[in-house]
Amino acid sequence: MMMTRRFFQLVWGLILYGFSMAMMLRANLGLDPWDVLHQGIAPVLGLSFGMTVNLVGLIVLLLWIPMRQRPGIGTVLNIVVIGTAVDLSLMILPTPLGYPERFFFLTAGIVLNGIAGGAYIGAGLGPGPRDGLMTGICGRTGWPVKIVRTAIELTVLATGWLLGGTVGVGTVLYAASIGWIVHHALPWFQLTPKAKDRTSVTATS
């Protein structure tokens, strides 16, 4: 019964995560670093935004191999579900016209993203590929999480921006608030003792 609950929570958390990303895309006021990268390279690859998210997730997962990281079912579903949910959500979400509507989409997207992150992390069935890359680098090098995470996110942000990804007030607002939101959402969804320890490595798909 507990495993079924964890799996269900994982799946709806990933779907909500993708939906929240679509809301931030529709707002067009700035994205989180990884999504700036996804948006920048999607036209280069000739793929939809969501399929780009999935492909990048797969590529990042392959980088786990030399670091001997072990994926869980949550890792695999992260690659498959989030990007697919983004594309499906973009098909049904309207495009907000004025700034009040756009700002509503942005703030609602960030809040839902934090709640979704708390849900899928709380299920405790494996980290996302991007989170695993960070923890893998930390494990292999001994460097602190704050240094590794900052370096990775600045790199993907700069690359995405150079390729045309959207950087703006949403990027700053996301960076400033997502950790706090996940921190307070996680206790509501924590189903494993170690889930809380992973709060500091989330906020990326």
Side-chain angles (χ1 to χ4, degrees), residues 38-121:
H38 298 145
Q39 188 181 49
I41 65 176
V44 177
L45 298 175
L47 297 174
S48 67
F49 182 91
M51 291 303 100
T52 301
V53 171
N54 289 349
L55 178 60
V56 170
L58 178 60
I59 293 171
V60 172
L61 180 61
L62 295 177
L63 297 177
W64 287 27
I65 296 174
M67 296 183 290
R68 298 178 182 177
Q69 290 279 89
R70 305 187 79 176
I73 187 173
T75 311
V76 176
L77 288 180
N78 186 294
I79 294 171
V80 175
V81 174
I82 291 181
T84 305
V86 173
D87 279 351
L88 293 175
S89 298
L90 289 173
M91 293 173 62
I92 62 174
L93 280 172
T95 300
L97 300 178
Y99 275 101
E101 292 180 350
R102 292 170 64 189
F103 193 73
F104 170 77
F105 267 56
L106 173 66
T107 53
I110 293 173
V111 171
L112 291 176
N113 191 269
I115 293 172
Y120 84 71
I121 293 168

